[in-house]
Amino acid sequence: DTGVSQNPRHKITKRGQNVTFRCDPISEHNRLYWYRQTLGQGPEFLTYFQNEAQLEKSRLLSDRFSAERPKGSFSTLEIQRTEQGDSAMYLCASSLGGRRNEQFFGPGTRLTVL
Amino acid sequence: DAKTTQPNSMESNEEEPVHLPCNHSTISGTDYIHWYRQLPSQGPEYVIHGLTSNVNNRMASLAIAEDRKSSTLILHRATLRDAAVYYCGTNFGNEKLTFGTGTRLTIIP
């Protein structure tokens, strides 16, 4: 069990550029979640997958955001035409599902949009 | 989604018990109560969760009020490594977690 990994850890981009983040969950975890966290706030839910199916998307997830989990393993979160308001920590978490309800978070990707 | 409210900050002396409160007055009967903690530049770390009964694990205890509108995370003997932001959250089954703004816990040596 190597934990949830996220890449890159930091990303600085200019407004209007597209960015893509990757999350590798704990193996055998069928649930994968994306959250966003801004300074001084708790994590806010963005979307989650059970295997490859995207089950829920938050209203925070505008049309510029898209997430995939093509083979039910790793996931990507893409932001198109980034805006300064997108600057935040993007967190990925995974869980085993069933009665094992706890979510295990990765270290996050810190996005700065200039 | 059940909203949670927590004090912004708390202090405790090292080696003493710490009681961190959380209000979740709009919680539904099937929502779980979760606690996570977060160190600077790290992702949240799972601490404990429960539904109705009090829960104990190696890290902490969770005391849930009988009406489930509040809960308390108990660290039995605080150490300097327990200094972190503690988040209380709720979820239904394995679905999304809804967090509050957290309590920043300072441990005084």
Side-chain angles (χ1 to χ4, degrees):
Chain A
D1 182 353
T2 58
V4 178
S5 62
Q6 293 187 246
N7 288 289
R9 293 292 308 277
H10 303 274
K11 179 70 177 179
I12 299 174
T13 191
K14 293 182 178 179
R15 189 175 52 188
Q17 297 295 305
N18 298 344
V19 294
T20 300
F21 309 141
R22 176 177 170 128
C23 171
D24 286 90
I26 294 171
S27 59
E28 299 176 354
H29 279 196
N30 57 46
R31 295 237 172 183
L32 186 148
Y33 312 79
W34 285 99
Y35 295 85
R36 182 172 69 185
Q37 186 175 29
T38 54
L39 200 60
Q41 301 297 313
E44 294 176 296
F45 169 76
L46 293 178
T47 188
Y48 85 97
F49 295 83
Q50 178 167 305
N51 299 313
E52 65 274 11
Q54 188 173 18
L55 296 187
E56 185 177 351
K57 294 193 291 186
S58 163
R59 286 171 294 176
L60 292 175
L61 216 64
S62 75
D63 291 345
R64 297 183 297 105
F65 288 71
S66 63
E68 294 183 340
R69 193 182 183 197
K71 297 183 180 178
S73 56
F74 73 92
S75 175
T76 57
L77 178 68
E78 181 183 15
I79 309 174
Q80 296 183 327
R81 305 181 302 283
T82 52
E83 302 173 355
Q84 288 185 324
D86 297 331
S87 294
M89 176 76 85
Y90 289 84
L91 294 162
C92 175
S94 68
S95 74
L96 196 55
R99 294 175 63 88
R100 298 299 301 275
N101 197 2
E102 58 267 42
Q103 296 181 18
F104 295 87
F105 283 80
T109 295
R110 180 165 297 283
L111 173 66
T112 303
V113 182
L114 301 176
Chain B
D1 300 343
K3 183 178 178 181
T4 61
T5 56
Q6 303 173 248
N8 288 334
S9 62
M10 289 184 64
E11 287 185 351
S12 179
N13 293 320
E14 192 177 10
E15 298 186 2
E16 290 188 356
V18 182
H19 291 235
L20 296 166
C22 180
N23 287 320
H24 28 78
S25 58
T26 60
I27 194 170
S28 74
T30 50
D31 284 352
Y32 286 82
I33 299 157
H34 290 250
W35 283 84
Y36 288 74
R37 68 183 185 183
Q38 188 174 27
L39 296 172
S41 301
Q42 294 186 22
E45 175 190 24
Y46 169 79
V47 178
I48 200 166
H49 79 285
L51 185 60
T52 55
S53 303
N54 294 343
V55 183
N56 300 296
N57 66 21
R58 63 177 180 82
M59 290 180 72
S61 294
L62 174 60
I64 300 172
E66 194 170 339
D67 63 5
R68 294 191 359 105
K69 293 182 185 295
S70 66
S71 62
T72 302
L73 178 70
I74 303 166
L75 306 178
H76 294 286
R77 194 162 170 269
T79 69
L80 295 177
R81 289 179 294 180
D82 291 322
V85 179
Y86 286 78
Y87 291 101
C88 168
T90 62
N91 79 340
F92 171 72
N94 289 286
E95 297 184 2
K96 63 189 179 188
L97 281 161
T98 301
F99 290 102
T101 54
T103 297
R104 181 173 299 278
L105 176 64
T106 300
I107 304 299
I108 302 168

